[in-house]
Amino acid sequence: MTTDRHDGKRVDEATGTETVGHEWDGIEELDTPMPRWWLWTLYLTIVWGVVYVILYPAWPLVDRATAGVLGWTSRGQLAKEMSIADQARTTVREQLVRIPIERLPENSALMQQAVAGGRAAFKVHCSQCHGSGAAGSQTLGYPNLNDDDWLWGGDLKAIHFTLVNGIRQPDRDSTRASDMPPFEGVFDAGQLTALSEHVLSFSGKGRANPVGARIYADNCTICHGPAGEGDRAQGAPRLNDAIWLYGNTREDVARQILRPRMGVMPAWEGRLDPATIKMLAAYVHSLGGGEDFVEVAADPAIEVDERP
Amino acid sequence: MSDPDKPELIEDGVRKTNEPVSSAVAAPEATTRRHEPHEPARTHLPEKLFEARKTVHNRRIDGPFRRFKWFVMLVTLAIYYGTPWIRWDRGPYAPDQAVLVDLANRRFYMFGIEIWPQEFYFVAGLLIMAGVGLFIITSAVGRAWCGYACPQTVWTDLFQHVDRFVDGDRFARQKLDAAPWGPNKIARRALKWTIYLVIGFWTGGAWIMYFADAPTLVHDFWRGEAAPAAYITVAILTLTTVTLGGFMREQVCIYMCPWPRIQTAMMDEKSLLVTYKDWRGEPRGSVKKAERNPGMVGDCIDCTMCVQVCPTGIDIRDGPQIGCITCALCIDACDRVMAEVGRPRGLIDYATLEDCEAEANGAKPRPAWRALLRPRTIAYTLIWGSIGLAMLFALGNRSRTDLSVAPDRNPPFMLMSDGSVRNSYTLSLRNMATRPRPMEVAIEGLPGAVMWSDTMSRAQAARMIRITVPADSTQTMRAYVVAPADTAATSFAFSLTALGEERETDRTETNFDAPQASQ
Ligand code: SF4
Ligand code: SF4
């Protein structure tokens, strides 16, 4: 029951509270005073706001915001966090610079960090040619780094050497270099077919034939070996395996004999710091085709530069 | 009622005159009334936009419900303060604390149960059970949770006892409140607030014990060597405990807590509530008046005892309302008064609205427990129980060994120089037992295939690799699987077998990719 008032407002009998004068579907809103702590809470938020404006950047200016007496900025915080992260990386990098690459596998924690760092560096510096999964490209002639076929050796030390010195870098004496002569105009069409067929026979894809065998023995054995086993010392590819960098059809092989393609890779020394190069070596080695250290160490062609 | 209590019946002078009650629904002069309905007409603006809290000085009472409230308070506080100190031997690789939330290592230990992040559904299940539990309680006995077990209630009750201990009971506290500041008042306030602070500190202190080894943490805490988070947490919880329990009190229940709003939707006319039986109590009148007008006066003698004992300061005789937390202290109070004046108890009582109406129409009172058993509460209980059973079942059958496999997708497969095909996988071997266990990872299916890991050389490749996984941890391992040249793309599985007394096995299907068969 309510009492009518001159201004349309009523006093609710049950509670003795005045209504605000609105009615929705018979429900009226009582004009109950708010609790005072509510007001305090409002005042507190105002105080909080003022304090915040004083302490932190708040008012936008043309190219920045007001500084705030604490001098805090989100950029500053980011820079601080980045430098902390850098600091954490520094120790790993220093350790990496100091350790000879062939000793790296003994320190499995460092190795793991190197692989992780190498994975990131690979994406930045190497994926343009070798692909983000390091699978290379047969059409473009970039080698797949996941497999177990290595032109120049696949243990950590050999990979590291390749990374440091690059492939066929004209201004570097220590670079990996090999030269397959072009045979264009040397063989007639029949000889070329016979030779291609014979080369493919090493991996069971073609038929061995006496003409091809003779030409092979005269021209190719010196680098690729009598049975096509290749020679890592001079970067001569194996011909008796299933992996063909430039393709394994007769046309692919014939073209490679006439006008050989030979890849290049930058020498990363000087472009990347020694720690990063070691990380890249560790990562490439970890892709699954990495080889154990064997007697390769005795090979004079694989001399690892240990300068930090 | 005992003699010393007698004068207090009119102690507050709430009812100074014995005016005749003007109508059956005439509102009583309750202490919480803001405006008297019959006061002279006011101006149309309310005189105050904001209103200060009226301090609730609730009066001491004794009775079965009060004793039950004591009991619940002691049990809940004992659980809260005591649990972190229970030790539980889990061997050398796991903590010795029975209940521990190890945030740093993301483990939750609860007696014999250890929960990993990926088993969080157990915690979710517990929360659902807690929710459904509240449904059961609310639909059966209304806001009993609020009245007895809610932390806000328990701590408020504790602080109200502190008030009583320092300042005395209701009347003394009212007098002290009204008195000007003097040495006595200052000393009492200082003592009271110090006790508040100590309670708040203990509350925050107990909380952090759940997150680290309790004895070590106490030691580090006092030496100033604990993590900053520990000190910050204790400070915040001390502050919130004192603010919410010491000063906000019933305002939390009335203005802040969402639960009363939800509860109204969960109760119905069959739920037990603390109810004032107005059909029996009205019109109110003194014993003398009842003698003068037999049959014209109700059972309520308007002594306001029910209002005085109420911890939220409301008048239950106004009907069911949001401020009532169903603590039943008013039942204890009114039952005493009824005994005193020789009338039957239960003028205020736990009753359902339905029963109340039936009784008003002359039906015989129904025992309260009958309200507990009805389809709704039984259905809730069944749901609650089945969740619990399902969880127990899952708990009993969960494996402490887990294998997950992520195949490399870039490139999906690799041709090797001998023509064989290689796929690479990242395996996660999980040993959830609290001791290191030797495990075997093996290839199931994929004839002729062998594998090796990144810590082995290819020469050691085999169909099974043995590896020891440290206690309570996940080991990540890269596996290279090589299958013979003519293998076609197919599916196969990795299995992980934990060796030891109980052999546990997990198995994960995955795919082996291979070049499309040519020619
Ligand atoms: S309901 Fe009971 S306790 Fe409350 S005023 Fe009436 S008689 Fe007193
Ligand atoms: S009205 Fe009664 S049951 Fe409700 S809160 Fe007050 S004392 Fe407790």
Side-chain angles (χ1 to χ4, degrees), chain A residues 5 7 11 16 18 31 33-37 39 132-133 135 144 146-148 241-243 286-289 292, chain B residues 34-35 42-44 46 48-52 248 251 255-256 410-411 414-417 419 422 452 457-458 480:
Chain A
R5 303 260 314 224
D7 53 3
V11 170
E18 192 171 79
D31 197 4
M34 298 273 273
R36 201 167 62 191
W37 61 263
L39 193 65
S132 63
N144 185 338
N146 291 274
D147 62 29
D148 60 343
D241 64 9
I243 297 171
S286 79
L287 287 170
D292 299 335
Chain B
R34 295 185 179 106
H35 307 285
R42 301 166 298 161
T43 57
H44 73 279
K48 275 183 265 167
L49 284 174
F50 295 93
E51 194 174 74
M248 299 291 290
Q251 301 181 93
Y255 298 105
M256 297 171 163
N410 181 19
M414 196 69 45
L415 212 54
M416 304 305 272
S417 52
R422 197 194 80 203
W452 71 98
S457 94
R458 193 184 166 177
Y480 306 107

Side-chain angles (χ1 to χ4, degrees), chain B residues 274 306 309-316 323-331:
Chain B
V274 172
C306 50
V309 299
C310 179
T312 64
I314 58 160
D315 187 344
I316 190 64
C324 175
I325 56 170
T326 325
C327 66
L329 295 187
C330 52
I331 302 181

